[in-house]
Amino acid sequence: MINLILFSIIAGLVLALLAVPFRMSRKVKEEGKLTVEPVRTAPLLIGSAIAAAVVVFVVYYAGNIDRNWTSLWPAVAVAAVLGAVLSAGSERKLRTLLSLAALAFAAYVLTAPLFNADKKYKAVEMDEAVEIAAFDETKTPASVPPKFARNKMKKAFGQVPNTSYYELGKLQIQTVDGDFVYIAPVEFAGFFKWMNAGTVPGYFTMSATDSADNPKFVKTEMAYTPSSYFHKNVERHMRNAEPGLIYHGDVQLEVDDDGKPHYIRSYGNFISARNGFDVKGVVVTDPETGKTERFALGKIPDYIDGAVSPEAVSLANSYYGNYVHGFWNSKFGKKDVKLPSDEGVEANVSPVFDETGHMFYFTDFTSPKEEVDSMLGYALTDARTGEATYYTGNLEESYMDSAGALQIIEKKFIEKKWKGEMPVLYNFYGEASWLVPVLDSNGFLQNYFIVSAANPEISVFANSPNEALKLYKTALQRGGSTVDGSSDAEEAKAQVTVKRVYKERAGDFTIVSVMADDGRNFLASTESVPLAVYIEAGDRLDLTYLETGELFLPVKELKNLSIGE
């Protein structure tokens, strides 16, 4: 607060000196004659300085604006022009020069977006690759949609003490102690609720991989929050602690492995002239004590997953997709322009995790041409470092974008009015595939839908991601695709005796699960192996299968030696 007061006083004095001439005169009529007499400018200068300081304080306090001197350019331009108009003589010449300089800087700031497109592109330029690594089918993707998680948390809100004082805050996904979870803080429901309560009692947590998990309320007092007021508002508190930083994106709640919450916000630099943004680090505030620290991207604490805000990633994707050949090309010629999708769940991007629990932001890019749903590529941005990779996909195939995948789901369940949310592209068994949770009109999770990006006719749905993956493997075999698995799957042969057999219907075909006497498990579809339907316990089988390393090994060919076929 002291910093803001000093900034306001100095800014008010500077603006007053620019706007109020040192010498002023006025015409007065005495005894029928007009005479000119000097005007005391000191009271006007002091009054103007006080008024300007008050206005600056109110604007910067309410707007939470960075306290860099360049942020005053509109006020400086107006004050300088006003001073030039009110002055006279040699002083006018000097003030005219000052006003021209101020107007030139204002023009520089206003026109910066027209000329710094190349710098923006260079600041976010991505590495390029063809395809992401194959997904490990033994893992479960973080695929519970946030809308569904939020609905469940709202229904569990009765766990919060003095419930009427509070409401559910912004959802954030992260890893806590090795598990993928959603975190949502409790927030104040209004000014008078904040006055009465003073602190919020805690936050909710829920699994991001298990839709059957119930939200849990974690009690921990938090005074500095986004819904607090005045000096307890966490964004204003961060601004007071670091008055000169350039922030981009909302504050987010991150929880360490001990369950202690922290509010974080990304900061960075302007690309040029107060325009554009290049992320450099994160500011962290303890919501209980207000202690605030700044960390560069290379030195952030291990518990922070999303040091780079989704808003900053979305902005970087826009720079990379639009400004490959400069600003004017993005508006007219549009050569090589690719538009980032707006189907993400957080500022048009979706958080995903690799097998180590490291978080990335995913977005796909499509053509600027209308009514085209083919994907030009997709990007993954490291949520801790901001480094990004752009994947072109198999250039010999045309991939469907996220909007196309959502349209397929909408048509598939048109009678039930179900819709998809949070489409994410994975490499399932060597096939670029969209995994999309499907919600009903009330926001409740109904199933998981997987569709091939290159072959939209290949699609399945099931009650869990792992069940859908099991069906998808069979669907790919039916469609003639090569099922590679998460490693370099090699073809192998075996002769086994059936110990147990289980058959389940999957559309027009039957999936046959076989437990062999040697402990291995095999999976066959009656579409690719029609006579698998006759397998019984005790049969002797000659199998050709893929050694994917999974619990159920996919069968390509089968001969039942017990029935001579």
Side-chain angles (χ1 to χ4, degrees), residues 356-524:
T356 66
H358 198 91
M359 192 168 87
F360 295 82
Y361 290 111
F362 167 85
T363 192
D364 61 305
F365 291 76
T366 190
S367 170
K369 193 173 182 179
E370 295 183 2
E371 299 181 358
V372 174
D373 61 1
S374 62
M375 184 176 66
L376 300 180
Y378 55 99
L380 288 177
T381 302
D382 191 312
R384 283 176 60 87
T385 68
E387 297 177 357
T389 301
Y390 180 77
Y391 296 90
T392 61
N394 188 340
L395 297 178
E396 296 180 358
E397 296 181 328
S398 178
Y399 286 176
M400 172 180 58
D401 64 11
S402 56
L406 294 176
Q407 288 173 9
I408 288 178
I409 293 173
E410 188 170 352
K411 292 176 181 177
K412 181 77 173 179
F413 303 106
I414 190 169
E415 293 183 357
K416 297 181 178 180
K417 297 182 179 179
W418 293 355
K419 294 184 178 181
E421 183 181 286
M422 198 177 73
V424 175
L425 194 74
Y426 287 90
N427 183 344
F428 289 143
Y429 312 110
E431 185 87 2
S433 312
W434 289 104
L435 172 63
V436 189
V438 180
L439 307 179
D440 63 19
S441 57
N442 295 316
F444 290 102
L445 183 64
Q446 295 299 320
N447 60 52
Y448 291 90
F449 194 91
I450 303 178
V451 57
S452 168
N455 303 290
E457 65 276 7
I458 301 177
S459 65
V460 299
F461 60 90
N463 291 329
S464 73
N466 295 98
E467 288 179 19
L469 278 172
K470 187 177 177 181
L471 296 175
Y472 190 58
K473 179 187 293 185
T474 304
L476 288 174
Q477 289 176 304
R478 290 202 307 261
S481 298
T482 301
V483 180
D484 293 330
S486 59
S487 57
D488 295 329
E490 296 182 358
E491 199 171 279
K493 294 182 180 294
Q495 284 193 1
V496 299
T497 299
V498 178
K499 187 175 181 180
R500 294 282 191 276
V501 63
Y502 177 74
K503 302 170 185 176
E504 58 180 332
R505 197 72 176 168
D508 297 329
F509 305 97
T510 300
I511 296 176
V512 182
S513 304
V514 173
M515 176 186 285
D517 57 349
D518 60 6
R520 288 184 292 179
N521 298 280
F522 300 90
L523 190 70

Side-chain angles (χ1 to χ4, degrees), residues 1 46 55 57 68 75 86 97 114 131 140 143 157 161 217 261-262 266 285 346 354 442 521:
M1 186 65 72
I46 295 172
V55 171
F57 181 89
N68 292 288
L86 295 178
L97 291 176
L114 304 179
E131 203 76 83
T140 300
S143 52
F157 211 72
F217 178 67
H262 307 264
S266 298
T285 294
E346 292 186 34
D354 65 11
N442 295 316
N521 298 280

Side-chain angles (χ1 to χ4, degrees), residues 264-308:
I264 68 168
R265 196 178 189 191
S266 298
Y267 73 87
N269 297 330
F270 292 121
I271 300 297
S272 67
R274 298 191 61 82
N275 181 260
F277 182 78
D278 185 19
V279 64
K280 295 298 180 183
V282 63
V283 171
V284 182
T285 294
D286 185 327
E288 181 181 5
T289 65
K291 180 182 177 182
T292 300
E293 297 179 271
R294 186 206 313 190
F295 299 95
L297 285 180
K299 299 180 180 180
I300 61 174
D302 292 338
Y303 68 85
I304 295 179
D305 292 303
V308 182

Side-chain angles (χ1 to χ4, degrees), residues 107-118 120 272 275 323 326-328 331:
Y108 171 61
V109 172
L110 292 173
T111 59
L114 304 179
F115 303 106
N116 65 3
D118 290 336
K120 289 177 179 176
S272 67
N275 181 260
Y323 297 146
F327 176 81
W328 297 111
K331 299 298 181 183

Side-chain angles (χ1 to χ4, degrees), residues 330-350:
S330 70
K331 299 298 181 183
F332 299 106
K334 298 189 177 182
K335 178 184 177 182
D336 297 328
V337 168
K338 41 190 178 286
L339 301 181
S341 165
D342 59 359
E343 302 296 347
V345 295
E346 292 186 34
N348 297 332
V349 297
S350 292

